[in-house]
Amino acid sequence: MRQLTKPLWWLYCIYAFLLFVIGMLCVLPFVAVFSLQDESTGGDRIYKVCRYWDSAWLTLVGIRPANIYESTPDPDKRYVFVSNHISYLDIPMILQAIQRDSFRILGKAEMTRIPLFGYIYGRAVVLVDRATALSRSRSVRELKSMLATDRSVFIFPEGTFNETGQPLKSFYDGAFRLAIETQTPLVPILFIDTFDRMHYSSLFSLRPGVTRAIFLPEVAVEGLTAADLPLLKQRVYSQMEEGLIRHRVSWILS
């Protein structure tokens, strides 16, 4: 049966890829125009048009995002959103989970090397090359600037895909240091189905289905200092780890 369905699966993946490219070409002129505007207004408009592209693509390939709120973020507050990272599909899911245009994503600089997509990506996210201290410090300044204008930010504290077979891999300090230094509360999000919809090993592992984002309770940082960073990081790690185990995510190896 698997051999019979494999050709259909490949056709589906090719269909999804072609739709992605068509959508990208449609939004490219808008991104080019909006990138000429001031960073705040133009950036917000880039996120809005990318969300339209994202929503249309997910609908047409049969992926149905669903947000589940164990705690609902205040729409009038700024946050440092953090989530687990297990699939390429996590990126389009961010725009479905966080329904606000006034936020920015911290993303890897090497993604800008992808033709056309890299152009859009580089104008939509705050770029960081973790290999250089200069890039890391510049990205922190940009994120602080976003928070200073009451925009939220989104960071993958694992930095890259979790390939450990455990609920999470170790966290970098950056998201938690940023939250403390700007006194901005954290909101953890769990992407619990993206691994099953698209395995990190291949873009041609895409599958249709429901893809849930679980919003965990807000973590306050008011009054915390740099000395509290390790405890804050461990608190968020434990909260997210417990949530992933509770939802029995499929990548955990026994």
Side-chain angles (χ1 to χ4, degrees), residues 16-230:
F17 176 76
L18 290 175
L19 283 179
F20 185 87
V21 172
I22 292 168
M24 178 172 61
L25 293 174
C26 290
V27 304
L28 194 60
F30 294 98
V31 173
V33 171
F34 295 153
S35 64
L36 298 175
Q37 300 175 348
D38 67 272
E39 201 288 328
S40 295
T41 303
D44 290 351
R45 288 174 176 171
I46 287 173
Y47 271 72
K48 184 173 290 187
V49 73
C50 284
R51 181 173 289 110
Y52 291 144
W53 168 30
D54 185 54
S55 298
W57 182 76
L58 290 171
T59 299
L60 291 171
V61 299
I63 294 175
R64 302 183 301 280
N67 291 346
I68 299 172
Y69 297 95
E70 295 185 2
S71 179
T72 304
D74 185 336
D76 297 321
K77 285 177 65 174
R78 65 178 190 178
Y79 293 105
V80 175
F81 291 98
V82 294
S83 86
N84 62 299
H85 195 16
I86 195 70
S87 167
Y88 287 107
L89 200 58
D90 296 335
I91 297 173
M93 280 301 299
I94 295 170
L95 295 177
Q96 301 305 309
I98 303 175
Q99 291 291 320
R100 55 178 81 189
D101 300 320
S102 55
F103 82 104
R104 296 294 184 274
I105 300 166
L106 181 67
K108 295 183 289 187
E110 54 263 37
M111 294 288 285
T112 59
R113 300 170 190 160
I114 303 172
L116 295 181
F117 176 79
Y119 175 85
I120 298 172
Y121 183 87
R123 282 150 184 78
V125 309
V126 175
L127 297 172
V128 61
D129 180 352
R130 295 187 187 276
T132 70
L134 180 63
S135 176
R136 293 196 302 271
S137 62
R138 182 172 61 245
S139 66
V140 169
R141 289 195 301 272
E142 289 186 43
L143 292 172
K144 286 183 176 179
S145 175
M146 291 297 107
L147 291 169
T149 58
D150 284 331
R151 284 169 171 79
S152 297
V153 300
F154 180 99
I155 300 173
F156 289 118
E158 294 169 293
T160 187
F161 293 148
N162 170 23
E163 301 178 38
T164 66
Q166 301 301 310
L168 296 165
K169 63 184 293 187
S170 59
F171 283 175
Y172 287 96
D173 290 347
F176 310 99
R177 180 177 291 112
L178 178 69
I180 290 172
E181 291 180 353
T182 61
Q183 292 292 281
T184 305
L186 291 139
V187 172
I189 302 172
L190 305 178
F191 294 139
I192 63 173
D193 301 304
T194 52
F195 178 82
D196 302 311
R197 301 283 82 77
M198 180 186 281
H199 194 279
Y200 55 71
S201 64
S202 174
L203 295 174
F204 284 88
S205 59
L206 188 66
R207 294 284 194 282
V210 175
T211 309
R212 294 164 291 174
I214 312 293
F215 282 76
L216 300 180
E218 173 184 328
V219 179
V221 298
E222 186 176 358
L224 299 186
T225 68
D228 300 303
L229 191 152

